[in-house]
Amino acid sequence: QPTADDVVSAIETAIKSGVDTKNTEIAFFGGSFTAIDREYMISLLDATKPYIKDFYGIRCSTRPDAINTEVLSLLKSYGVTSIELGAQSMSDRVLELNERGHTSVDVEIASKLIKEKGFSLGLQMMTGMYGSNPDLDLDTARKIAKLSPDTVRVYPTITMKNTPLAHLYQSGKYVPYDEETTVQVC
């Protein structure tokens, strides 16, 4: 896990390298930022305080079910400007099969709260998930578009060794899209 010192080091490295900080966000990605231990999350945000005035803002990614008004107020107080939700799919069946831990309604509620509180909303979707198909993926894209996010990230499912998805793949229960289908759907 990165520490507050790691955050400071990364920020200082960016500044020293000549990054246009006024057009750059400090970002907390690669997990569910608002679902981590609260004290740990605050320690990372505290590390940005001396630098935030020099940056455009802070961006974080998180789970739709880890957003509420209390969390949003906390994030706003630290200068967070953008929140990306790992929606992945708007099919409750696909979300359940992939043990995502949230529903499409959670995505809708969190998206509305984020926008109401003045944050930039980003939504992430994943094509080719276990139990999905191109039609469900395109339906997800349409539903995400109706939420009017400021940004959208679309990326294909990747099967990693020694994961539940890898076991489904090895058993023949999960068949990933071929390259052509992946490109076409994305």
Side-chain angles (χ1 to χ4, degrees):
Q1 283 183 323
T3 65
D5 288 340
D6 295 329
V7 171
V8 169
S9 178
I11 292 170
E12 289 180 353
T13 298
I15 292 168
K16 287 175 188 171
S17 71
V19 167
D20 177 11
T21 58
K22 290 295 180 194
N23 290 310
T24 302
E25 293 172 310
I26 297 167
F28 294 101
F29 275 85
S32 296
F33 190 66
T34 62
I36 62 177
D37 176 77
R38 183 59 52 91
E39 286 182 33
Y40 175 54
M41 182 181 81
I42 290 172
S43 76
L44 297 176
L45 290 168
D46 279 337
T48 69
K49 277 185 174 181
Y51 307 96
I52 190 61
K53 68 185 179 316
D54 297 321
F55 284 81
Y56 181 79
I58 300 172
R59 174 179 294 264
C60 68
S61 64
T62 195
R63 301 171 52 88
D65 56 326
I67 290 292
N68 58 46
T69 55
E70 182 266 328
V71 164
L72 293 175
S73 293
L74 177 67
L75 295 176
K76 185 66 87 172
S77 74
Y78 279 94
V80 173
T81 50
S82 303
I83 301 171
E84 288 194 27
L85 298 177
Q88 312 318 2
S89 177
M90 293 299 282
S91 164
D92 288 332
R93 181 177 147 270
V94 171
L95 292 170
E96 184 177 344
L97 284 170
N98 289 274
E99 300 178 13
R100 293 297 304 167
H102 69 268
T103 67
S104 61
V105 171
D106 293 327
V107 175
E108 293 167 1
I109 291 169
S111 295
K112 183 179 179 193
L113 280 173
I114 289 166
K115 290 175 76 170
E116 284 176 352
K117 297 296 181 182
F119 294 92
S120 173
L121 170 66
L123 293 173
Q124 301 168 358
M125 83 171 268
M126 189 180 302
T127 63
M129 293 176 74
Y130 174 57
S132 194
N133 60 53
D135 289 336
L136 285 174
D137 290 342
L138 294 174
D139 186 58
T140 287
R142 285 190 277 284
K143 288 178 178 176
I144 283 177
K146 284 184 182 178
L147 295 173
S148 299
D150 298 292
T151 59
V152 176
R153 292 183 197 267
V154 180
Y155 47 93
T157 299
I158 302 293
T159 307
M160 303 195 54
K161 290 181 183 179
N162 302 318
T163 62
L165 187 60
H167 298 301
L168 289 168
Y169 171 73
Q170 290 164 343
S171 72
K173 292 180 182 176
Y174 172 64
V175 178
Y177 296 168
D178 60 31
E179 184 178 356
E180 182 179 331
T181 303
T182 298
V183 170
Q184 201 171 41
V185 172
C186 285

